[in-house]
Amino acid sequence: MPDSPADGTAAAGAGTNTQTTTTTTTQQQPAQQQQQAAPAQTPQTQQEVDRIVLNYLNQKGYKQAEIALKREANLLTLEEQAASLAAKEKEANAAAATPGAAAQPTHDKNEMGDPDAYDQAYSSLRRWIENSLDLYKPELMSVLFPLFLHSYLNLVNRGLKEQASKFMASYKSDHLEMHSQDIARLATITDAQHIKENELAQVYKTNKYHLRMAPVSFELLIAFLQDNKFIVLLRVVNQHVNIQVGAPNAGEDEVIGIAGHGTHQLATFNQQSVALGHMPPDAALREQVEQTLKEEESGGDTIMNGETPTSLLEEYKKVKTEAGVDSPSRDDVPLPPFKGSDIQAEIEALRDSRKRVALGPSSLPSICAYTFHNAQENINCVAVSEDATMMAAGFSESYVRLWSLNGEKLRGFRSNFNPALIHDSNDLNRVKEKKGTDSKKLIGHAGPVFGASFSPDNKYLITCSEDKSARLWSTSTLTNLVCYKGHNYPVWDVDFGPQGFYFATASHDRTARLWSCDHIYPLRIFAGHLSDVDVVKFHPNSKYVVTGSSDKTSRLWDVQRGTCVRVFTGHVGAIHAIAMSPDGRMMASAGEDRSIQLWDLGSGKRMKKMTGHQGTIYSLDFSQDGSILVSGSADCTVRAWDVKKEGSQGGSGNRILQDDRESTGAGSVNGTIASSPVIAHGQGVSGAGATAAAMERLNKKAQQTGPLESDDHLATFPTKRTPIYKVQFTKRNLCLAIGAFSGN
């Protein structure tokens, strides 16, 4: 630290002076006595003088003189500043209420002398909050709306119509997502008489706007306003804003905004039309698939386990192909022509659907757990291909390691081949290694790798890193094909689109970006989050992208227009995991607040909140029919949740959480079936022999353990010491769970 050398030098100097003084003392006793007899040295700084005078005034009881000196010397505390402002307002109100007294102006002299005082103060505060730390930014941003609204009303009340109109036009776009209805109504006010007649304006004028901030955020805000002498904004905070400092008490019904008034009006913003239906299939591709099935039928070939092509063909014809009312057009998301591999992929998907296991509350999923050993501090991300044949992991040492899960060896290129001699696939196979390995290291990034995603056909792997880039790898040649650069800061997450041609990235620069594999520059930039974009996921129809951020919100973006069409608020911590239901109607989000929130994408409303985890949630995934949701967490458990069951927001529908459970053999390097789950039975803690004292002890234990299991919690699959980084359902509804063993 910068101060350490200076402190060390001062300490050494002090020691040297001490030794010198000791030596001199034995020789010059009279000089020391004369020095002791001298009067004490007077203060050398103005601040010391001020404090001595303030102490004298305080002892004598001269309060007014003490406050005046403190104000002049900038020594007022936050409480004294607030009390001083309140006293001024009280005196002004008393003077105005006195009969026959002349009306006195209550505006600050700086406000009266400069009509642009509000604009200058608000723009400076807005700029300061934009550049503040992400830890405090969401709380600081919440104070901007009441300051904006009352600044506008004050300008109108003073008759400064031009400045008020300019102020409204300049800053209203910052608040349209959350307060569109109120802004639309208040923007019509252009005269002081209108404020008295407008019901909504009177609601804001006569009621305080409630906010909650952490102590540090509150201190930073007040200190900034005081240091810059933004008296106009300090007056608004004192008169019209009630800032509760600290966390709310347990069970307290917290009010944000004005009690009884719907301040946050996201419902209006979330009414934008969206097309959530499945993308209609390519007619030419469907025709080719049917033709292939007919040819196999005529050839008399059989398919796995005695299935005949006829049965597959009949089932394929039953699949709905017509575009729904809310299905997007294929022109909305341009895609390249289909390939021969797409035909085979359609047939394989049909076979998997026939062998899919039906899941439900009475039929829980089987979980295959993979455990990394000696890698907890180095592994950052994990990805598994859709057919579960390959797995990739990103490490802090700037490399990616690829594993084969089906026993097929991975073969890279020999080091001494000539690329000019490769003309076809046969030449390519000849220059590959003769003996492959179970895993291969992919080197190319210049920083820790934070995200990875396989293409749907498993031919490509996309990764992202702290080096601000994303890289495309070939899983057949095990080489880096393209490096995509565009972000200004580290890239936290990446996701391949359902069609495999597009991918999206999420970054520390507070943006998400849309890319296509054949362009090295981004096609769309999704800007709007207030902090890091930590996770990104594609909608099943490829028309939308969902992002989760450290600003505690998630957003739905239209890839065609590049605009935000939904905002989801409700989390109290950063969002690290997002999952889309297979039908594209629901979205689940989770993160640091240890809760899972289920959202209806059509209305933008929260369907329910699911609790039970005791650590940060890293991963979510829906089963293929969308009835079961699984989650992986830092609490070393995989949990299953009932999506269809209606959630209960009350405490009566919760169960006491019991997680002091140990499991043996929850996973291995090669993957094993997880141990039997701990199934949550019943709707509460009850029993025929339960006494009141026992129930009281259980309730105390529940309060100590923290979160409660919600009613839709189905089962817990615990591990010994393996935080779960990734959960994923296969096409046949087998759940894969991956984590790194923790020795601590």
Side-chain angles (χ1 to χ4, degrees):
M1 293 183 293
D3 294 339
S4 299
D7 296 341
T9 304
T16 305
N17 293 337
T18 302
Q19 293 177 0
T20 304
T21 303
T22 304
T23 304
T24 307
T25 301
T26 60
Q27 300 175 357
Q28 299 180 358
Q29 294 292 341
Q32 182 181 13
Q33 294 174 0
Q34 293 176 4
Q35 184 177 5
Q36 290 179 349
Q41 186 177 4
T42 58
Q44 297 297 321
T45 64
Q46 182 64 36
Q47 186 176 9
E48 292 176 350
V49 174
D50 292 339
R51 293 193 179 279
I52 292 175
V53 176
L54 286 173
N55 187 34
Y56 172 79
L57 294 175
N58 185 35
Q59 291 178 354
K60 295 298 182 180
Y62 301 132
K63 298 297 183 182
Q64 295 297 331
E66 179 185 0
I67 293 175
L69 179 58
K70 280 186 176 182
R71 186 183 298 108
E72 182 178 350
N74 291 328
L75 296 176
L76 279 176
T77 64
L78 296 177
E79 293 78 5
E80 291 171 339
Q81 178 73 15
S84 176
L85 289 174
K88 286 184 178 180
E89 296 299 332
K90 185 176 181 180
E91 292 176 1
N93 294 335
T98 302
Q104 299 294 330
T106 60
H107 301 288
D108 185 78
K109 60 180 182 180
N110 295 329
E111 177 187 357
M112 295 297 295
D114 186 5
D116 296 328
Y118 282 102
D119 188 279
Q120 294 172 0
Y122 184 85
S123 62
S124 297
L125 175 63
R126 179 172 171 263
R127 193 182 314 110
W128 174 73
I129 293 178
E130 283 289 335
N131 297 325
S132 63
L133 293 177
D134 292 341
L135 179 64
Y136 311 120
K137 187 178 298 182
E139 291 182 342
L140 293 174
M141 289 290 289
S142 64
V143 80
L144 284 180
F145 175 69
L147 293 180
F148 161 78
L149 186 144
H150 286 287
S151 296
Y152 173 74
L153 293 180
N154 288 345
L155 288 172
V156 173
N157 193 39
R158 291 177 50 197
L160 301 174
K161 297 182 179 180
E162 182 179 350
Q163 286 80 1
S165 177
K166 179 183 176 182
F167 187 85
M168 173 64 71
S170 299
Y171 305 113
K172 72 175 182 180
S173 59
D174 295 344
H175 312 287
L176 287 177
E177 289 182 358
M178 304 289 292
H179 313 279
S180 57
Q181 292 182 351
D182 286 357
I183 292 177
R185 292 176 60 183
L186 295 175
T188 60
I189 298 176
T190 58
D191 187 79
Q193 185 64 26
H194 295 168
I195 297 178
K196 299 179 181 179
E197 298 173 353
N198 189 287
E199 181 180 354
L200 180 61
Q202 289 302 310
V203 168
Y204 278 101
K205 279 286 189 181
T206 57
N207 296 276
K208 285 200 171 186
Y209 195 97
H210 299 276
L211 294 174
R212 182 168 294 279
M213 286 188 181
V216 176
S217 301
F218 177 73
E219 294 285 346
L220 289 173
L221 174 65
I222 299 301
F224 175 81
L225 296 179
Q226 288 181 343
D227 293 345
N228 292 274
K229 299 181 180 178
F230 292 147
I231 305 300
V232 291
L233 297 185
L234 280 170
R235 181 181 290 109
V236 172
V237 172
N238 182 57
Q239 291 180 343
H240 302 291
V241 182
N242 178 28
I243 300 179
Q244 300 291 331
V245 180
N249 298 325
E252 180 181 352
D253 188 12
E254 186 174 10
V255 176
I256 301 298
I258 295 179
H261 175 66
T263 306
H264 293 283
Q265 297 152 355
L266 271 180
T268 303
F269 179 83
N270 288 342
Q271 287 177 357
Q272 301 178 64
S273 61
V274 290
L276 302 176
H278 281 291
M279 180 75 70
D282 188 345
L285 174 61
R286 184 174 181 83
E287 183 180 348
Q288 287 292 329
V289 172
E290 293 180 356
Q291 183 64 30
T292 302
L293 291 175
K294 288 179 181 179
E295 291 176 357
E296 293 180 358
E297 175 186 359
S298 61
D301 297 333
T302 58
I303 302 180
M304 297 175 60
N305 299 330
E307 295 177 4
T308 63
T310 305
S311 61
L312 284 176
L313 179 59
E314 292 175 354
E315 187 165 344
Y316 187 70
K317 289 182 177 180
K318 295 178 182 178
V319 177
K320 183 178 179 181
T321 60
E322 300 82 7
V325 177
D326 59 350
S327 295
S329 170
R330 293 192 65 85
D331 296 334
D332 292 342
V333 185
L335 295 170
F338 68 89
K339 305 180 293 292
S341 58
D342 297 331
I343 300 175
Q344 189 62 30
E346 284 286 317
I347 298 176
E348 289 297 330
L350 187 61
R351 293 171 181 168
D352 288 336
S353 66
R354 297 194 64 185
K355 297 180 179 294
R356 185 174 299 155
V357 178
L359 300 179
S362 60
S363 178
L364 297 176
S366 297
I367 298 181
C368 180
Y370 290 87
T371 301
F372 289 93
H373 291 275
N374 304 318
Q376 187 206 11
E377 296 181 358
N378 298 325
I379 189 169
N380 296 323
C381 63
V382 180
V384 182
S385 61
E386 285 192 2
D387 59 0
T389 59
M390 286 185 291
M391 178 169 60
F395 291 85
S396 296
E397 288 85 355
S398 307
Y399 69 86
V400 181
R401 184 169 286 277
L402 186 66
W403 282 270
S404 173
L405 302 182
N406 60 355
E408 183 178 346
K409 301 297 183 181
L410 299 176
R411 298 166 55 206
F413 286 134
R414 297 197 301 266
S415 58
N416 58 348
F417 75 96
N418 186 1
L421 301 178
I422 299 178
H423 302 289
D424 53 23
S425 59
N426 294 329
D427 295 337
L428 191 64
N429 290 329
R430 278 195 293 269
V431 299
K432 283 187 175 182
E433 299 171 340
K434 292 184 178 180
K435 294 182 179 180
T437 57
D438 292 332
S439 67
K440 283 289 184 180
K441 184 183 290 187
L442 307 179
I443 300 176
H445 281 293
V449 180
F450 293 122
S453 179
F454 284 95
S455 62
D457 58 5
N458 298 340
K459 292 183 178 180
Y460 303 102
L461 172 70
I462 189 77
T463 58
C464 62
S465 167
E466 186 188 46
D467 62 10
K468 313 174 190 176
S469 71
R471 289 181 178 266
L472 184 69
W473 309 82
S474 170
T475 57
S476 59
T477 64
L478 305 180
T479 56
N480 181 220
L481 303 178
V482 190
C483 179
Y484 304 93
K485 296 182 179 181
H487 284 287
N488 302 319
Y489 290 94
V491 186
W492 301 132
D493 193 27
V494 63
D495 186 47
F496 247 120
Q499 308 299 329
F501 184 66
Y502 299 99
F503 66 91
T505 54
S507 172
H508 176 59
D509 61 12
R510 298 181 290 177
T511 68
R513 307 194 181 206
L514 178 72
W515 311 72
S516 64
C517 292
D518 59 348
H519 289 78
I520 61 173
Y521 52 83
L523 306 179
R524 296 287 186 275
I525 298 177
F526 306 117
H529 281 293
L530 304 178
S531 186
D532 294 32
V533 184
D534 296 319
V535 60
V536 61
K537 285 290 180 185
F538 267 91
H539 189 272
N541 65 14
S542 297
K543 182 174 170 56
Y544 301 99
V545 166
V546 179
T547 56
S549 170
S550 294
D551 66 6
K552 308 172 188 177
T553 68
S554 53
R555 292 171 178 254
L556 182 70
W557 307 84
D558 188 324
V559 301
Q560 182 69 21
R561 296 179 293 165
T563 58
C564 179
V565 294
R566 293 287 186 274
V567 178
F568 307 96
T569 62
H571 282 284
V572 294
I575 299 174
H576 294 320
I578 284 177
M580 307 292 296
S581 64
D583 62 2
R585 306 291 179 181
M586 293 181 294
M587 184 266 289
S589 59
E592 291 182 356
D593 62 2
R594 307 177 183 182
S595 67
I596 303 171
Q597 305 208 20
L598 196 64
W599 307 90
D600 177 20
L601 293 180
S603 64
K605 297 180 179 179
R606 185 175 70 182
M607 300 172 63
K608 60 179 176 178
K609 179 179 179 180
M610 298 178 285
T611 58
H613 276 294
Q614 292 181 299
T616 299
I617 301 173
Y618 293 137
S619 182
L620 300 168
D621 198 26
F622 283 91
S623 62
Q624 296 300 322
D625 58 359
S627 61
I628 299 293
L629 179 73
V630 292
S631 57
S633 169
D635 62 8
C636 304
T637 65
V638 177
R639 295 176 184 260
W641 312 86
D642 187 356
V643 175
K644 304 299 183 182
K645 186 172 184 177
E646 293 185 3
S648 173
Q649 302 297 332
S652 60
N654 295 329
R655 294 180 295 268
I656 294 179
L657 181 63
Q658 299 175 352
D659 258 8
D660 51 346
R661 303 174 285 240
E662 292 289 333
S663 166
T664 58
S668 67
V669 175
N670 296 325
T672 59
I673 301 299
S675 58
S676 300
V678 180
I679 302 179
H681 294 289
Q683 301 300 319
V685 179
S686 61
T691 63
M695 290 297 296
E696 184 177 357
R697 288 196 299 271
L698 287 174
N699 290 332
K700 290 182 178 179
K701 180 181 178 181
Q703 295 175 359
Q704 295 174 356
T705 55
L708 300 178
E709 294 178 346
S710 53
D711 283 347
D712 33 34
H713 179 262
L714 296 176
T716 301
F717 298 82
T719 67
K720 277 189 174 179
R721 293 194 298 268
T722 304
I724 304 300
Y725 298 153
K726 178 72 174 180
V727 290
Q728 178 175 320
F729 275 104
T730 66
K731 294 296 184 181
R732 300 184 182 183
N733 270 344
L734 170 67
C735 181
L736 305 178
I738 305 159
F741 181 78
S742 172
N744 298 326

